[in-house]
């Protein structure tokens, strides 16, 4: 089994995407759909369109409301501070710098189509230390 992330994107070239230029993904298929191999997974970027016979009442489209989300990509890194500095220098706009949540350090970014991407580094989790609900302080 292989798990892939599918996103509906606006018209943009994969060579200009954060998925390749920032995250270091490799383009496996340029268009229709664009497929980028990233680490041990695949990101499939579909241009959207209307319903199809296998999803007759569904119209795929990029996110339209930036303040709500029903799913997002999660990227785990070994050194979040280095990653944050490197990707920020490449133009990534993070919502906040990395925040210590006891179980992990994490921050969020958006791709050019508005998809939310969590970037995190496990810290306390391997030792059984977990985040407090709703980010509550100690």
């Amino acid at each position: 089994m292989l798990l892939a992330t599918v996103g509906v994107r606006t018209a943009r070239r994969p060579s200009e995407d954060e998925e390749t230029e920032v995250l270091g993904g490799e383009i496996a298929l340029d268009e229709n759909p664009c497929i980028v191999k990233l680490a041990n997974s695949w990101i499939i970027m579909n241009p959207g369109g209307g319903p199809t016979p296998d999803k007759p009442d569904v119209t795929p489209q990029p996110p339209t409301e930036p303040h709500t989300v029903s799913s997002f990509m999660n990227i785990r890194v070994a050194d979040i501070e280095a990653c944050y500095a490197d990707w920020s220098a490449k133009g990534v706009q993070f919502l906040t710098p990395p925040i210590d949540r006891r179980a992990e350090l994490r921050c969020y970014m958006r791709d050019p189509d508005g998809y939310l991407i969590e970037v995190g580094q496990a810290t306390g989790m391997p030792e059984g230390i977990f985040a407090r609900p709703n980010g509550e302080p100690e």
Side-chain angles (χ1 to χ4, degrees):
M1 181 182 297
L2 174 70
L3 181 63
T5 301
V6 178
V8 179
R9 67 184 181 136
T10 57
R12 55 186 171 99
R13 301 293 305 159
S15 60
E16 299 169 354
D17 289 343
E18 287 182 348
E19 291 84 359
T20 55
E21 295 299 311
V22 175
L23 304 181
E26 178 183 324
I27 297 171
L29 183 62
D30 196 44
E31 287 295 326
N32 296 324
C34 171
I35 300 175
V36 176
K37 183 178 184 321
L38 180 61
N40 60 349
S41 190
W42 300 86
I43 299 173
I44 301 169
M45 292 174 279
N46 189 305
T52 58
D54 55 343
K55 53 177 180 34
D57 297 322
V58 178
T59 301
Q61 64 183 28
T64 56
E65 172 52 54
H67 303 292
T68 61
V69 64
S70 61
S71 68
F72 54 89
M73 185 185 310
N74 184 308
I75 299 174
R76 293 282 132 179
V77 298
D79 183 345
I80 197 167
E81 295 297 339
C83 180
Y84 178 81
D86 180 46
W87 293 355
S88 292
K90 292 178 179 175
V92 171
Q93 297 293 311
F94 287 90
L95 278 61
T96 67
I99 293 176
D100 187 342
R101 302 234 329 121
R102 293 181 31 155
E104 64 184 344
L105 300 171
R106 76 176 186 207
C107 55
Y108 291 86
M109 58 188 261
R110 289 197 184 274
D111 80 356
D113 288 315
Y115 287 99
L116 190 66
I117 300 172
E118 176 182 314
V119 182
Q121 174 186 338
T123 53
M125 228 179 293
E127 287 82 40
I129 300 169
F130 300 100
R132 297 206 182 277
N134 300 318
E136 298 169 3
E138 300 248 350

